[in-house]
Amino acid sequence: MLVVGDSISAGYGLASGTGWVALLQRKLSAEHSAYRVVNASISGDTTAGGRARLGALLEQHRPAVTVIELGGNDGLRGGNLEAMRDNLDAMIAAAQKAGSRVLLVGMRLPPNYGPAYVQRFAATFAEVAKARKAALVPFLFEGFGEDNAMFQPDGIHPVAAAQDKLLDNVWRELGPLLGTPGKER
């Protein structure tokens, strides 16, 4: 399983091994799953960066499942949403062509970006996932995104106590892609 994400999946500001991706590997191991998680997340990455490096990652790791958790930095930088859409679409298409099932992880922006941009940003994830028939986590911070105590002082990166919640939000959609525990599909 390949996770291509940004600082949220890279575990920015957290002790090594305490981020949601590390917790995912522990959960899979505890369930005697054959899946091995490769975390190819890079703090600060955008959909353009992920798209540029995905081909080599797919070739190197040949994942059965690819989790794409990118777009947050595109939005926080006020990036072009059509470019973000094109990058996400191309990444999903490349992963599917390589034989990987795909989970796209959605994000939302704070309201200070303006209602039109914020709504368009959030809708992009669902639209791309639907068009490519990929699984979707609508909002990674679902259930705690409004709780300031769950974020580091920067207000962007979740604290260690939030990592189980991130994993729960991902697992809801990831679990069905994995098939029978202990076996790869």
Side-chain angles (χ1 to χ4, degrees):
M1 180 181 313
L2 177 65
V3 178
V4 183
D6 54 29
S7 57
I8 305 302
S9 295
Y12 177 86
L14 302 173
S16 180
T18 61
W20 78 265
V21 179
L23 298 178
L24 170 62
Q25 181 62 71
R26 285 202 281 285
K27 179 178 181 70
L28 291 167
S29 296
E31 293 183 359
H32 306 290
S33 171
Y35 286 97
R36 180 179 59 88
V37 179
V38 174
N39 191 353
S41 301
I42 298 175
S43 289
D45 207 3
T46 62
T47 58
R51 181 179 182 177
R53 59 194 183 89
L54 183 63
L57 290 168
L58 292 170
E59 189 173 317
Q60 178 183 358
H61 300 291
R62 304 200 183 286
V65 176
T66 301
V67 178
I68 300 171
E69 182 271 312
L70 288 168
N73 289 316
D74 297 63
L76 290 174
R77 295 172 187 168
N80 180 298
L81 296 181
E82 284 306 311
M84 184 181 93
R85 170 197 300 281
D86 291 346
N87 290 332
L88 291 172
D89 184 71
M91 291 176 72
I92 294 171
Q96 289 173 333
K97 184 177 180 186
S100 189
R101 296 179 300 283
V102 178
L103 173 62
L104 180 60
V105 179
M107 188 52 70
R108 293 186 191 149
L109 292 173
N112 58 308
Y113 284 81
Y117 189 83
V118 167
Q119 290 168 5
R120 190 79 204 109
F121 176 85
T124 299
F125 296 96
E127 291 166 4
V128 173
K130 182 178 179 182
R132 287 284 170 191
K133 295 180 174 57
L136 174 69
V137 173
F139 180 40
L140 184 56
F141 297 166
E142 188 67 48
F144 72 92
E146 302 295 322
D147 183 354
N148 290 335
M150 297 303 276
F151 291 88
Q152 297 174 38
D154 63 14
I156 296 170
H157 298 96
V159 296
Q163 300 304 305
D164 282 328
K165 294 178 184 308
L166 293 173
L167 177 57
D168 289 345
N169 288 340
V170 170
W171 187 257
R172 234 181 261 106
E173 303 302 326
L174 181 62
L177 293 180
L178 303 183
T180 308
K183 296 181 180 141
E184 283 196 32
R185 212 170 86 180

